[in-house]
């Protein structure tokens, strides 16, 4: 009995122990590990990556450096990493709490850099790639998030000619302009979607921007990579599993307009007796400016993670008014991102959606030109309170009335959505294999409304009662993409391979209708058919549509031997419907090689001095296809009689029929412009303080598109678009960043970016198609045939072509003849013209500084451009007493009073050195660490000032606001938008 009881107790004990062991084992398979990540100074590391090695299970630390990671096995190894710190691998060993101290990685070579269709660590790069993370973005209000990169990347020019106009955007250019007819803008890729519109994103949603500068890095984008590529990476969900992380980010800015051009006052105008004295004193320019111009940006984000994924959502509201009376912009934006892992991380589902509604109200920049040149003794209003209408010169308008009464607005909708399924087939310490299939849609539409009332100047001069117009356009691109990635680690040899397929279809549609002469102004554009011009056959209507398809297959292999030799090779084979029947497909290869000398035996004992010294060389071929559809085809159209302004019709079988005929010459050989680029550079990190790179590039753009004279016969028309020309673009770039003070109470990091480059036209003709030169930018004015720029073989891009100023004699402006003699400008002959200057800067310089003391931070960004001239159109149009405008610059009766003739011709008299250096951005911030509470984790307030001052000898507008990108740089237009200093205050709050 006792024996039986003993056996029974023993069996029960064994069963209980087995149950406990099973429970422990089950629990051990699903540990939840918590901890905190700090640096060597005890500061928390926010956003550090914590992952289970060999899996996709991971999380990032919150604002306090804490993390909670579920699904961890006792035998797992946790990997802790963060940009600028050395990665640590720590065995879990069944522990539920692991606190980690990350030490600085002076080389920062483990930083993950986004590249085309993937990512690499910085130490694996062998081509010219620069990544700027959100911590280094410029702050303050801006029209285009791309302005956050201003001065941050050597070779990238961000040019905004109307920064205080909320509807204006920035022009981007990487390493100069090299195309004559196609676009010189870089390709923008948002989260893998090529061609996405950056204005669809809130600035706070952008995590990093990566610039692919050379052909080796951009060749993976084939026919769209010749102008460089900018990769935008947005924020993903984060935080502790099961707990949302809320952030509120806001700033409010005001624009303080800078002084306008110095023109004659009303009293001075009367004394000059330039025109009729109406008896009033009106400052037309000042009347066009708002009393208060502001930018308001509100942003709220909610991020979180789950056991098997993450999510994020953000909401953004923006409202901005321009300096002028009319311009404004209002935006409502939202974004959602989701990631879900399934089947133990084998399958991942990813989705994102960006949506934005924009209401735009447009002014008329040309009215600033009108206001400056207008008679200042004219009244604003008539005696009965209506707006005064000038009756001279022909076409004159009241600029205040134009801005206040004309209704010109539009509504935009931006959409960018992506859905992806990813399968992780192999996940181990030595190998990784995954494949993904994604679909994305980029959609943008714009509905424009325009109405000018019966009382406006346009109606007065054209003899109708009001004009209305409605235009609707939409652009949408659908993309299907498959990617496969494989990596293999064999110790000394590390391989990474990527293959992919890409299909894109882009569609554009347009519908326009307009009518004139309405009975009532109040109906605006809401009843277009009520205008009398419809019945008279004078109403306008038009539609249009285009469609382009692109297919590409591509692949890349990266090789790393002992972190000493790094190589990369890629190729893309791509076809587009834009190209001719005989030239649909092309291959775009690239190859790059780098040698990390710091890991060589002779430098390993000097790691305290040389952390990295990596010379690299790259070669690649890219394309440029940003031109209109159907250029290779003999498209048909109706013929319009230019003299009668009617479409030709023909009597056929008793009815009048519109005739159609080929509208252009077909070219079955039309193809992409090809860019062949060589890049030699060296990256370095020295003394744990100094980081940077120096590189030289040579880029040849071949098969440039241009309209040449076509032989007749066989061609129908006298011109044809063909690939002939070649431009050569060479330059150097230097990027330096150093820790001036490090590990001291005051820390100071300073950086310099410098670039130098020129572009020449190497070839313009071949045996069949010939051209002596290309003329660009026709001089404004009725009946003019002069151009500001001429480009011929062997000459630089951006060269002004005109007469050389030779002084003043007896009031006459003199110029040099082709034989070096002086003659009055009234005797100018075309053969006297020569190259008189260049509007493209040869050098760009930026100097950034970040200073930290306790909770304070101060950043300053200086920018400059050198080695170029600006054509002062304001001085050209109203800088001399003999100018045809009513009012003129005060200098016309001051320093230039001795000149009585000379206006109206392009001469070097109106050219001035455009060199400038300016304090572009200053931000002072303070980080508040609140006491223990239930609601707020952290807070930061900051004050930003933009465009504080400019050092320059140029007498016109702010030279940094003059267009310097493209083929017609350096022309300071009369209608330039006013410059302003912008002050903004910002607040960032992170909630628990």
């Amino acid at each position: 009995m006792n024996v039986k009881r003993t056996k029974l107790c023993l069996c029960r004990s064994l069963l209980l122990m087995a149950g406990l062991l099973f429970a422990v084992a089950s629990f051990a398979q699903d540990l939840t590990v918590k901890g905190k990540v700090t640096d060597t100074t005890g500061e928390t590391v926010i956003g550090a990556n914590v992952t289970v090695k060999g899996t996709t299970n991971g999380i990032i630390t919150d604002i306090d450096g804490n993390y909670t990671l579920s699904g961890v096995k006792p035998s797992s190894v946790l990997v802790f990493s963060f940009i600028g710190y050395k990665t640590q691998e720590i065995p879990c060993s069944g522990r539920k709490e692991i606190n980690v101290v990350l030490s600085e990685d002076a080389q920062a070579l483990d930083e993950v850099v986004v590249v085309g269709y993937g990512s690499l660590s910085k130490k694996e790069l062998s081509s010219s790639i620069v990544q700027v993370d959100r911590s280094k973005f410029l702050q303050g209000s801006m029209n285009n998030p791309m302005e956050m990169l201003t001065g941050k990347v050597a070779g990238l020019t961000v040019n905004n000619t109307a920064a205080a106009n909320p509807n204006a955007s920035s022009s981007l250019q990487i390493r100069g302009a090299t195309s004559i007819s196609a676009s010189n803008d870089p390709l923008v890729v948002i989260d893998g979607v090529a061609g996405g519109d950056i204005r669809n994103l809130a600035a706070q949603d952008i995590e990093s921007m990566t610039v692919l500068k050379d052909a080796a890095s951009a060749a993976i984008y084939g026919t769209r990579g010749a102008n460089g590529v900018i990769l935008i990476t947005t924020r993903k969900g984060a935080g502790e599993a099961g707990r949302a992380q809320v952030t509120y980010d806001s700033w409010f800015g005001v624009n303080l307009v800078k002084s306008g051009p110095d023109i004659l006052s009303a009293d001075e105008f009367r004394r000059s007796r330039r025109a009729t004295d109406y008896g009033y004193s009106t400052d037309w320019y000042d009347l066009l400016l708002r009393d208060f111009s502001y930018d308001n940006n509100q942003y709220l984000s909610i991020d979180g993670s789950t056991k098997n994924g993450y999510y994020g959502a953000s909401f953004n509201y923006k409202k901005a008014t321009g300096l002028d009376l009319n311009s404004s912009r209002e935006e409502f934006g939202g974004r959602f991102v989701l990631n879900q892992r399934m089947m133990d991380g084998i399958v991942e589902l990813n989705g994102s959606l960006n949506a934005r509604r924009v209401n735009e109200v447009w002014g008329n920049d040309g009215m600033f030109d009108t206001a400056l040149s207008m008679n200042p003794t004219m009244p604003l209003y008539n005696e009965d309170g209506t707006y005064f209408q000038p009756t001279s010169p022909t076409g004159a308008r009241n600029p205040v009335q134009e801005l206040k009464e004309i209704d010109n607005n539009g509504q935009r909708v931006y959409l960018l959505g992506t859905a992806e399924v990813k399968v992780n087939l192999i996940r181990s310490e030595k190998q990784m294999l995954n494949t993904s299939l994604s679909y994305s849609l980029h959609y943008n539409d714009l509905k424009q409304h325009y109405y000018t009332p019966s009382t406006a100047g346009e109606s007065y001069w054209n003899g109708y009662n009001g004009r209305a117009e409605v235009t609707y356009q939409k652009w949408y691109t659908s993309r299907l993409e498959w990617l496969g990635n494989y990596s293999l680690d064999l110790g000394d040899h590390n391989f990474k391979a990527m293959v992919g397929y890409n299909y894109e279809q882009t569609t554009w549609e347009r519908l326009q209708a307009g009518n004139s002469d309405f009975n009532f102004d109040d109906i605006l554009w809401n009843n277009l058919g009520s205008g009398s011009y419809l019945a008279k056959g004078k109403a306008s209507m038009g539609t249009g549509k285009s469609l382009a398809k692109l297919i590409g297959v591509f692949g890349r292999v990266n090789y790393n031997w002992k972190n000493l030799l790094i190589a990369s090779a890629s190729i893309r084979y791509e076809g587009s419907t834009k190209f001719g029947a005989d030239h649909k497909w092309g291959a775009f290869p690239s190859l790059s090689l780098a040698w990390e000398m710091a890991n060589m035996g002779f430098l390993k004992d000097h790691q305290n001095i040389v952390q990295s010294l990596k010379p690299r060389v790259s070669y690649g071929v890219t394309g440029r296809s940003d031109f209109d559809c159907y250029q290779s085809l003999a498209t048909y159209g109706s013929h319009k009689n230019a003299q009668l302004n009617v479409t030709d019709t023909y009597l056929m079988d008793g009815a009048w029929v519109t005739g159609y005929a080929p509208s252009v010459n077909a070219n079955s050989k039309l193809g992409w412009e090809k860019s062949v680029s060589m890049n030699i550079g060296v990256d370095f990190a020295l003394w744990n303080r100094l980081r940077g790179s120096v590189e030289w590039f040579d880029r040849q753009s071949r098969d440039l598109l241009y309209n040449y004279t076509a032989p007749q016969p066989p061609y129908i028309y006298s011109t044809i678009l063909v690939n002939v020309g070649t431009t050569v673009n060479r330059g150097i770039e230097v990027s330096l960043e150093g820790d001036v003070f490090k590990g001291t109470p005051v820390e100071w990091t300073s950086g310099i970016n410098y670039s130098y480059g020129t572009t020449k036209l190497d070839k313009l003709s071949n045996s069949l198609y010939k051209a002596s030169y290309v003329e660009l930018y026709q001089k404004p004015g009725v009946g003019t045939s002069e151009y500001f720029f001429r480009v011929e073989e062997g000459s630089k891009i951006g060269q002004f072509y005109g007469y050389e100023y030779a002084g003043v004699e007896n009031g006459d402006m003199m110029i040099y003849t082709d034989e070096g003699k002086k003659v009055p400008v009234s005797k100018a002959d075309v053969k006297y013209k020569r190259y008189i200057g260049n509007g493209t800067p040869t050098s760009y310089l930026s100097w950034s500084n970040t200073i930290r003391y306790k909770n304070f931070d101060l950043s300053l960004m200086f920018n400059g451009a050198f080695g170029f001239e600006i054509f002062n159109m304001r001085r050209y149009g109203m800088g001399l007493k003999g100018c045809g405008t009513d009012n003129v610059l005060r200098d016309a009766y001051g320093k230039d009073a001795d000149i009585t003739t000379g206006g109206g011709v392009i001469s070097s008299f109106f050219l001035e050195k455009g060199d400038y250096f300016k304090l572009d951005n200053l931000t002072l911030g303070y980080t508040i660490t609140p006491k223990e509470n239930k609601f707020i984790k952290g807070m930061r307030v900051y004050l930003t000032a933009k465009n504080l001052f400019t050092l320059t000898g140029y007498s016109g507008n702010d030279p940094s606001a003059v267009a310097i990108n493209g083929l017609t740089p350096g022309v300071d237009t009369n209608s330039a938008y006013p410059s302003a200093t912008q002050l903004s205050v910002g607040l960032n709050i992170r909630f628990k």
Side-chain angles (χ1 to χ4, degrees):
M1 189 78 173
N2 292 335
V3 174
K4 290 182 179 180
R5 284 182 180 175
T6 301
K7 289 181 177 180
L8 183 60
C9 289
L10 182 59
C11 289
R12 288 176 176 175
S13 299
L14 290 173
L15 288 172
L16 179 61
M17 290 177 65
L20 289 173
L21 287 172
F22 179 77
V24 170
S26 298
F27 181 74
Q29 291 176 1
D30 194 23
L31 284 178
T32 298
V33 181
K34 299 182 179 180
K36 188 171 187 176
V37 179
T38 58
D39 62 17
T40 53
T41 66
E43 292 291 326
T44 59
V45 179
I46 305 169
N49 292 294
V50 184
T51 59
V52 177
K53 187 172 182 179
T55 73
T56 58
N57 184 18
I59 200 171
I60 68 172
T61 57
D62 61 19
I63 191 67
D64 298 316
N66 296 321
Y67 71 92
T68 302
L69 186 60
S70 304
V72 181
K73 296 180 181 179
S75 59
S76 296
V77 176
L78 299 187
V79 181
F80 298 83
S81 63
F82 188 68
I83 296 172
Y85 292 84
K86 294 180 179 178
T87 299
Q88 291 193 35
E89 297 185 4
I90 299 178
C92 179
S93 302
R95 290 179 290 174
K96 298 180 180 179
E97 181 174 349
I98 300 177
N99 298 315
V100 176
V101 178
L102 294 180
S103 59
E104 285 190 30
D105 183 358
Q107 300 179 47
L109 297 180
D110 289 325
E111 175 184 347
V112 176
V113 177
V114 178
V115 297
Y117 300 102
S119 61
L120 296 169
S121 66
K122 196 171 183 180
K123 64 186 178 184
E124 295 176 299
L125 297 180
S126 54
S127 55
S128 185
I129 299 176
V130 179
Q131 179 167 296
V132 181
D133 299 309
R134 60 183 298 111
S135 61
K136 294 184 179 181
F137 290 160
L138 292 185
Q139 295 183 336
S141 58
M142 60 203 69
N143 296 337
N144 186 331
M146 206 66 77
E147 294 172 34
M148 298 187 297
L149 282 182
T150 303
K152 295 293 183 179
V153 180
L156 171 66
T157 307
V158 183
N159 186 208
N160 194 334
T161 59
N165 185 338
N167 296 314
S169 193
S170 301
S171 168
L172 305 173
Q173 190 170 276
I174 298 175
R175 292 181 168 177
T178 57
S179 177
I180 298 175
S181 301
S183 171
N184 285 289
D185 298 337
L187 175 69
V188 175
V189 181
I190 301 176
D191 286 335
V193 181
D197 198 313
I198 186 67
R199 298 196 79 167
N200 187 15
L201 299 178
Q204 298 93 330
D205 279 330
I206 299 176
E207 186 65 36
S208 68
M209 289 191 265
T210 305
V211 182
L212 312 182
K213 297 195 291 184
D214 65 349
S217 58
I220 200 71
Y221 289 99
T223 60
R224 297 171 293 176
N227 299 324
V229 182
I230 299 179
L231 307 177
I232 312 295
T233 303
T234 59
R235 294 177 55 192
K236 304 298 186 291
E240 181 181 340
R243 187 171 184 177
Q245 182 173 296
V246 180
T247 301
Y248 170 70
D249 196 324
S250 166
W251 48 255
F252 184 85
V254 296
N255 298 308
L256 307 177
V257 65
K258 295 191 174 184
S259 59
D262 195 11
I263 60 177
L264 296 180
S265 66
D267 289 338
E268 291 169 333
F269 186 86
R270 291 186 182 94
R271 290 195 296 269
S272 72
R273 298 182 180 181
R274 293 188 57 81
T276 302
D277 181 4
Y278 289 81
Y280 294 85
S281 295
T282 307
D283 188 340
W284 291 106
Y285 190 85
D286 187 64
L287 287 172
L288 296 186
L289 301 173
R290 290 182 192 268
D291 294 330
F292 183 65
S293 171
Y294 69 90
D295 284 342
N296 179 21
N297 187 307
Q298 306 297 321
Y299 173 87
L300 181 70
S301 69
I302 303 172
D303 300 294
S305 61
T306 63
K307 178 181 177 181
N308 293 307
Y310 60 78
Y311 62 89
S314 67
F315 308 92
N316 178 228
Y317 172 77
K318 295 173 66 177
K319 177 67 183 292
T321 59
L323 295 173
D324 64 282
L325 294 172
N326 212 21
S327 299
S328 66
R329 186 181 182 93
E330 186 177 34
E331 303 184 27
F332 305 85
R335 179 174 180 270
F336 183 74
V337 60
L338 177 68
N339 167 271
Q340 182 65 37
R341 296 185 294 272
M342 304 163 56
M343 300 172 61
D344 193 27
I346 294 177
V347 178
E348 289 186 53
L349 301 177
N350 295 284
S352 66
L353 177 64
N354 296 272
R356 186 165 294 264
R357 169 62 183 255
V358 182
N359 300 320
E360 299 181 39
V361 178
W362 301 297
N364 184 346
D365 293 357
M367 289 300 103
F368 285 106
D369 181 21
T370 300
L372 290 171
S373 60
M374 196 166 176
N375 186 333
T377 69
M378 287 181 175
L380 175 60
Y381 300 105
N382 297 312
E383 292 184 1
D384 61 359
T386 59
Y387 282 106
F388 173 77
Q389 171 58 52
T391 58
S392 178
T394 302
R397 303 180 185 187
N398 184 322
V400 177
Q401 181 186 20
E402 290 288 306
L403 289 185
K404 284 195 170 184
E405 288 199 342
I406 291 179
D407 199 335
N408 189 12
N409 67 77
Q411 293 80 45
R412 293 183 187 269
V413 173
Y414 296 101
L415 288 174
L416 179 60
T418 301
E420 179 190 53
V421 58
K422 181 179 180 180
V423 181
N424 298 296
L425 300 172
I426 299 176
R427 295 173 297 164
S428 68
E429 294 185 16
K430 298 295 183 182
Q431 292 187 81
M432 181 277 295
L433 174 64
N434 63 50
T435 183
S436 64
L437 183 67
S438 64
Y439 173 81
S440 65
L441 174 66
H442 172 226
Y443 177 89
N444 176 10
D445 74 19
L446 170 63
K447 187 179 181 183
Q448 299 170 261
H449 305 105
Y450 177 89
Y451 188 78
T452 181
S454 59
T455 56
E458 178 185 330
S459 297
Y460 173 82
W461 290 108
N462 290 282
Y464 48 61
N465 292 322
R467 179 173 68 89
E469 186 171 303
V470 176
T471 304
Y472 177 73
Q473 298 184 81
K474 62 179 180 180
W475 304 259
Y476 49 98
T477 299
S478 56
R479 181 203 65 155
L480 181 68
E481 189 169 84
W482 169 80
L483 291 177
N485 286 279
Y486 176 73
S487 66
L488 175 64
D489 186 357
L490 299 177
D492 291 343
H493 305 275
N494 185 281
F495 298 88
K496 291 183 179 179
M498 179 274 298
V499 294
Y501 168 84
N502 173 251
Y503 172 88
E504 292 186 20
Q505 179 173 298
T506 300
T507 305
W508 166 79
E509 296 181 37
R510 177 179 179 269
L511 171 64
Q512 175 273 334
N515 203 354
S516 302
D517 202 31
F518 297 89
N519 292 325
F520 307 100
D521 285 329
D522 293 343
I523 61 174
L524 302 175
W525 51 81
N526 296 304
N527 188 4
L528 281 179
S530 63
S532 70
Y533 270 39
L534 181 61
K536 297 176 182 178
K538 295 182 179 181
S540 63
M541 181 175 66
T543 59
K545 182 176 182 179
S546 68
L547 185 147
K549 295 181 180 180
L550 181 145
I551 297 176
V553 291
F554 49 90
R556 180 178 58 228
V557 176
N558 294 89
Y559 172 71
N560 185 338
W561 179 64
K562 292 185 176 181
N563 287 329
L564 288 173
L565 183 66
I566 303 101
S568 177
S570 74
I571 189 167
R572 183 178 182 111
Y573 187 66
E574 187 171 78
S576 171
T577 57
K578 286 186 177 183
F579 308 139
D582 301 333
H583 207 156
K584 289 290 185 188
W585 294 85
F588 302 90
S590 76
L591 178 66
S592 60
L593 183 67
W595 176 29
E596 182 52 272
M597 297 176 63
N599 293 332
M600 295 294 293
F602 62 87
L603 284 177
K604 276 198 171 183
D605 295 334
H606 304 282
Q607 290 290 318
N608 59 326
I609 299 175
V610 181
Q611 290 79 52
S612 177
L613 184 61
K614 185 170 66 173
R616 50 183 166 79
V617 60
S618 66
Y619 169 87
V621 179
T622 51
R624 186 182 291 111
S625 60
D626 192 3
F627 53 86
D628 293 338
C629 299
Y630 315 127
Q631 296 294 301
S632 67
L633 304 176
T635 53
Y636 280 67
S638 57
H639 183 266
K640 191 170 186 177
N641 189 310
Q643 292 181 338
L644 300 179
N645 195 29
V646 294
T647 300
D648 286 340
T649 56
Y650 304 89
L651 184 62
M652 299 177 65
D653 296 331
W656 289 97
V657 179
T658 300
Y660 284 83
S663 54
V664 295
N665 288 321
N667 180 7
S668 62
K669 299 183 183 299
L670 186 72
W672 56 90
E673 298 185 349
K674 182 187 297 183
S675 178
V676 180
S677 175
M678 170 72 74
N679 196 98
I680 299 174
V682 58
D683 301 325
F684 54 86
L686 307 172
W687 301 294
N688 287 317
R689 282 180 178 268
L690 181 65
R691 302 163 294 277
S693 65
V694 178
E695 49 196 313
W696 170 86
F697 62 88
D698 182 304
R699 180 173 58 166
Q700 295 187 25
S701 291
R702 303 171 183 172
D703 300 331
L704 297 183
L705 291 166
Y706 187 63
N707 277 298
Y708 289 82
T709 300
Q712 295 176 281
Y715 293 105
I716 300 174
Y717 294 99
S718 60
T719 61
I720 184 172
L721 183 67
V722 294
N723 301 88
V724 174
T726 299
T727 56
V728 177
N729 172 226
R730 295 189 179 98
I732 59 172
E733 295 167 354
V734 179
S735 180
L736 297 172
E737 184 184 62
D739 302 316
V740 184
F741 299 142
K742 183 179 179 181
T744 58
V746 177
E747 294 187 334
W748 176 16
T749 300
S750 185
I752 291 176
N753 287 317
Y754 172 79
S755 63
Y756 171 87
T758 58
T759 303
K760 290 184 178 181
L761 181 62
D762 187 60
K763 175 186 174 184
L764 188 58
S765 303
N766 62 16
S767 58
L768 182 59
Y769 299 104
K770 299 182 183 298
S772 301
Y773 51 81
V774 176
E775 290 187 315
L776 302 167
Y777 201 141
Q778 190 170 3
K779 186 179 74 174
V782 180
T784 181
S785 59
E786 278 194 289
Y787 290 80
F788 283 104
F789 300 91
R790 174 178 286 192
V791 186
E792 58 186 353
E793 289 187 359
S795 68
K796 295 181 180 179
I797 297 293
Q799 295 221 95
F800 291 105
Y801 192 73
Y803 300 100
E804 187 174 347
Y805 173 63
V808 179
E809 294 182 6
N810 301 319
D812 290 330
M813 181 185 293
M814 308 296 287
I815 59 172
Y816 287 106
T817 68
D818 55 338
E819 297 176 348
K821 298 179 181 179
K822 295 182 181 181
V823 297
V825 72
S826 58
K827 296 183 179 180
D829 191 303
V830 174
K831 65 181 181 180
Y832 300 163
K833 284 190 173 185
R834 62 190 70 180
Y835 291 116
I836 55 176
N838 197 299
T840 303
T842 57
S843 301
Y844 295 92
L845 175 69
S846 66
W847 179 32
S848 61
N849 297 272
T850 301
I851 302 171
R852 300 183 184 277
Y853 174 70
K854 294 185 177 179
N855 288 3
F856 288 96
D857 61 88
L858 174 67
S859 65
L860 301 98
M861 171 60 76
F862 297 87
N863 286 308
F866 310 92
F868 71 111
E869 286 79 34
I870 296 177
F871 192 92
N872 192 332
M873 280 292 289
R874 188 158 288 154
R875 192 180 185 196
Y876 167 86
M878 51 184 297
L880 300 175
K881 288 187 292 186
C883 291
T885 55
D886 282 355
N887 208 354
V888 293
L889 298 178
R890 185 172 279 123
D891 282 348
Y893 290 84
K895 69 175 186 177
D896 296 326
D898 58 333
I899 305 177
T900 57
T901 65
V905 297
I906 299 174
S907 77
S908 58
F909 174 80
F910 303 106
L911 281 181
E912 302 179 40
K913 287 189 67 65
D915 297 5
Y916 69 88
F917 190 69
K918 68 184 302 180
L919 177 54
D920 201 31
N921 189 291
L922 181 150
T923 298
L924 176 63
Y926 183 77
T927 301
I928 301 171
T929 304
K931 296 180 180 179
E932 185 61 32
N933 64 87
K934 297 181 180 180
F935 306 106
I936 298 177
K937 289 184 177 181
M939 183 185 304
R940 181 175 183 268
V941 294
Y942 63 89
L943 176 68
T944 295
K946 296 177 63 178
N947 194 22
L948 272 79
F949 65 82
T950 303
L951 304 177
T952 183
Y954 179 61
S955 65
N957 296 298
D958 184 341
S960 66
V962 176
I964 53 176
N965 287 347
L967 299 178
T968 58
V971 178
D972 186 5
T973 64
N974 269 2
S975 56
Y977 201 80
S979 293
T981 294
Q982 185 184 75
L983 302 177
S984 58
V985 58
L987 172 66
N988 180 282
I989 304 176
R990 297 174 297 277
F991 296 93
K992 291 185 176 179

